[in-house]
Amino acid sequence: MKKILMCLFLCLSLCACAPAKSQKTIVTTNFPAYDFVRAIVGKQSGYTIKLLIKPGTDTHSYEPTPKDIVAIENADLFFYVGGDSDEWVENILNDVDRKKTKVVKMMDLINHKYEEESVEGMQEEHGHEEEEEPEYDEHVWTSPVNAMQIVKNLAVKIENMDPAHKTLYQKNSENYIKKIREIHNEFKNVVAHAKRKELIFGDRFPLLYFVKTYGLTYSAAFAGCAEETEPSAATMTYLINKVRKDHIHYVLKIELSAGKVAQTIASETGAKVLTFSSIHNVSSEDFKKGITYVDVEQNNVKVLRKVLER
């Protein structure tokens, strides 16, 4: 009798410990990837969407935990950006079963990629040797034109993976693309009626695709994925003189940045500091509120209008 009871106990224990069959899961790296997936699948398809990089944190300093790696390996779809900040992904993908997990890179979903560039006055990056192959700027989502392409092409990938909900995904993606197109038209209108076409960033500059889309020029302290946080005296002098010479009224910083460089430039020139979001990430508070890519871009429209009108 004791043996029977012991066997029953062990069976119940194993059943209790065995993981229940989970929902279909999509794992994403940064906020734009998360938001685009969320817009496409909606709430009716039964997918759980996981954002690896926690809201409010710097995407460039992210390192996956063992739990994150397991989540990727168990996902139905893994959607990442590619580029410098996602170098860690390549090693993980070697252990991912592509028959079980579909892998999509955001940079592969757009028509044209730009090589990383440095402009006059920008702090030079140290420790980077000449690359035989060109390095492409990874911040493709910063252009609403690219965002529309990404949503459209990603929707097709998800439709092929889950044809039972194809109509839902098509409808959701078309609705979101319409919203992004409205933002694109607002940006075009702001630039068309602007008094100036120049942006000054006392910060990293991950907005190459954005300025290329709307025909703007820029000066900045660092490149988009720069590790440096302290600019050289030459860079600071250049930016301060640039602001004075061109009578710039606003110096920009990106989201979640301490903005020390921008504040220094502002204090030396009388300019004011504003935040223009590259949408790398959002704050924990905004994430909980359900903020979207479109919401952030709507605020960027207001900032751009203010910056370019004087």
Side-chain angles (χ1 to χ4, degrees):
M1 186 65 178
K2 289 183 178 179
K3 289 183 178 180
I4 294 173
L5 290 173
M6 182 63 71
C7 288
L8 286 171
F9 175 78
L10 289 172
C11 288
L12 289 171
S13 298
L14 289 171
C15 290
C17 294
K21 187 177 180 179
S22 60
Q23 287 184 307
K24 295 178 289 185
T25 305
I26 297 177
V27 175
T28 64
T29 49
N30 70 355
F31 177 76
Y34 173 88
D35 182 72
F36 297 152
V37 169
R38 175 177 56 179
I40 294 167
V41 303
K43 297 179 180 180
Q44 301 173 25
S45 61
Y47 274 101
T48 296
I49 311 168
K50 178 179 177 61
L51 174 62
L52 292 182
I53 301 172
K54 293 180 180 179
T57 60
D58 182 3
T59 58
H60 298 92
S61 59
Y62 168 77
E63 291 185 7
T65 65
K67 188 177 179 180
D68 292 339
I69 295 172
V70 171
I72 293 170
E73 293 174 346
N74 291 335
D76 294 278
L77 170 65
F78 175 51
F79 184 41
Y80 73 110
V81 176
D84 285 349
S85 15
D86 277 353
E87 283 185 352
W88 57 269
V89 170
E90 300 307 321
N91 290 330
I92 294 174
L93 291 184
N94 292 331
D95 297 321
V96 170
D97 184 349
R98 300 300 183 94
K99 293 180 180 179
K100 294 181 180 179
T101 303
K102 187 174 185 63
V103 177
V104 180
K105 185 194 296 188
M106 187 185 291
M107 290 182 72
D108 290 342
L109 300 182
I110 64 168
N111 294 334
H112 182 74
K113 295 190 285 287
Y114 290 112
E115 290 185 38
E116 293 180 350
E117 66 176 33
S118 294
V119 294
E120 185 180 2
M122 184 179 284
Q123 176 75 30
E124 292 185 9
E125 293 190 71
H126 301 291
H128 290 272
E129 298 178 0
E130 281 296 320
E131 298 284 343
E132 292 183 7
E133 295 183 5
E135 281 194 45
Y136 292 105
D137 191 302
E138 67 191 62
H139 309 94
V140 294
W141 67 85
T142 59
S143 164
V145 172
N146 283 350
M148 287 187 279
Q149 291 178 4
I150 292 165
V151 172
K152 179 180 178 180
N153 292 328
L154 178 61
V156 172
K157 302 281 187 184
I158 296 175
E159 289 163 19
N160 293 338
M161 186 177 73
D162 184 18
H165 294 94
K166 181 176 180 179
T167 302
L168 173 66
Y169 301 145
Q170 287 179 336
K171 180 181 178 182
N172 289 346
S173 61
E174 288 169 3
N175 287 341
Y176 206 53
I177 288 170
K178 181 180 178 181
K179 292 179 181 179
I180 299 173
R181 183 174 291 110
E182 289 172 357
I183 288 293
H184 170 54
N185 290 334
E186 287 189 56
F187 278 126
K188 286 200 301 182
N189 183 61
V190 168
V191 174
H193 296 89
K195 292 183 178 180
R196 63 172 70 244
K197 303 291 174 72
E198 180 180 22
L199 302 177
I200 305 293
F201 272 77
D203 213 324
R204 290 173 177 152
F205 188 77
L207 291 149
L208 181 62
Y209 289 90
F210 180 84
V211 295
K212 294 285 188 183
T213 295
Y214 300 109
L216 300 170
T217 61
Y218 71 95
S219 296
F222 309 105
C225 285
E227 296 178 2
E228 291 87 349
T229 57
E230 295 292 335
S232 65
T235 292
M236 287 300 298
T237 299
Y238 176 86
L239 292 173
I240 290 169
N241 290 339
K242 182 76 171 171
V243 170
R244 287 172 175 162
K245 178 183 176 182
D246 294 351
H247 306 289
I248 302 294
H249 296 274
Y250 298 101
V251 178
L252 298 169
K253 72 177 190 70
I254 60 173
E255 75 280 9
L256 305 177
S257 166
K260 292 181 180 179
V261 177
Q263 290 290 351
T264 299
I265 296 170
S267 65
E268 291 291 328
T269 62
K272 295 181 179 179
V273 177
L274 295 177
T275 299
F276 192 97
S277 181
S278 64
I279 326 180
H280 262 116
N281 208 345
V282 295
S283 68
S284 297
E285 183 180 357
D286 282 340
F287 185 78
K288 290 176 183 176
K289 290 178 180 177
I291 197 169
T292 68
Y293 173 92
V294 169
D295 293 332
V296 180
E297 287 289 45
Q298 284 175 336
N299 187 67
N300 278 342
V301 169
K302 296 175 184 177
V303 174
L304 188 69
R305 182 179 290 114
K306 193 169 187 177
V307 170
L308 299 185
E309 71 182 359
R310 294 182 64 186

